[in-house]
Amino acid sequence: MRRAVCPGSYDPPTNGHLDILERAAAVFDEVVVAVLINKNKRGLFSVEERMEMLGEAVAHVPNVRIDSWYGLLVDFCRQNDIQAIVKGLRAVSDFDYELQMAQMNQQLTGVETLFMPTKPLNSFLSSSLVKEVATYGGDVAHLLPDNVHQRLRKRLAEN
Ligand code: PNS
């Protein structure tokens, strides 16, 4: 069983995330989406909400499952028998930090990281920019799965 993890904050998941998850699922037997809990960062959405949004958005991909984790990613990989970490790369600016993490993780437990280039259409896309644009009334409907867009609108209206 070839199993990969796609880790991230997913606050909220975007079309860019979805594209990487779908493509990773075409290469691996199982893809685990791990929502990493960062106790120092208060997100717009709770970890449970992010997991729900991801579950809805990837419901059409049978070999993807959603999980969450607090701690080192390499420990999650070990516990779930995961051989590879798949990360989307938007631009060279992502590469610097991603390379450091990939090398550190490889050194810690031997887990490999595979980089997948995003579609050019998504190369400017990030959860934080989407939140900022939406907060000030910009249209982000085309950047998010439908279910995520609905929830984002609701959350911003509540705030
Ligand atoms: O979506 P993000 O915020 O860019 O994802 C970054 C994330 C969560 C994948 C990264 O910070 C991570 O792997 N955190 C888990 C803690 C860990 O293993 N840290 C050491 C990395 S070498």
Side-chain angles (χ1 to χ4, degrees), residues 7-10 36 41 71-74 87 101 104-105:
S9 305
Y10 299 105
L36 268 294
K41 242 165 88 180
L72 285 180
L73 181 59
V74 290
K87 290 288 194 84
M101 288 198 286
M104 175 62 87
N105 286 331

Side-chain angles (χ1 to χ4, degrees), residues 6-120:
C6 291
S9 305
Y10 299 105
D11 185 40
T14 67
N15 285 345
H17 292 127
L18 194 58
D19 172 49
I20 297 294
L21 299 180
E22 287 171 346
R23 287 162 60 200
V27 176
F28 286 87
D29 296 318
E30 184 179 49
V31 169
V32 185
V33 186
V35 178
L36 268 294
I37 301 167
N38 183 344
K39 290 248 154 89
N40 300 318
K41 242 165 88 180
R42 215 182 98 75
L44 182 62
F45 293 98
S46 70
V47 169
E48 291 72 25
E49 287 172 322
R50 296 176 212 179
M51 291 175 71
E52 272 173 31
M53 287 188 278
L54 282 160
E56 291 160 8
V58 299
H60 61 289
V61 194
N63 60 331
V64 175
R65 73 176 166 88
I66 318 295
D67 207 341
S68 65
W69 182 250
Y70 174 71
L72 285 180
L73 181 59
V74 290
D75 290 332
F76 180 82
C77 293
R78 215 167 4 203
Q79 229 176 75
N80 289 275
D81 193 22
I82 287 169
Q83 304 90 14
I85 300 166
V86 173
K87 290 288 194 84
L89 280 188
R90 289 165 297 195
V92 269
S93 49
D94 280 343
F95 185 68
D96 238 17
Y97 185 47
E98 291 295 343
L99 180 65
Q100 283 180 36
M101 288 198 286
Q103 289 172 329
M104 175 62 87
N105 286 331
Q106 211 281 334
Q107 204 226 22
L108 286 171
T109 62
V111 67
E112 299 293 355
T113 297
L114 305 178
F115 294 127
M116 186 174 276
T118 61
K119 290 190 176 153

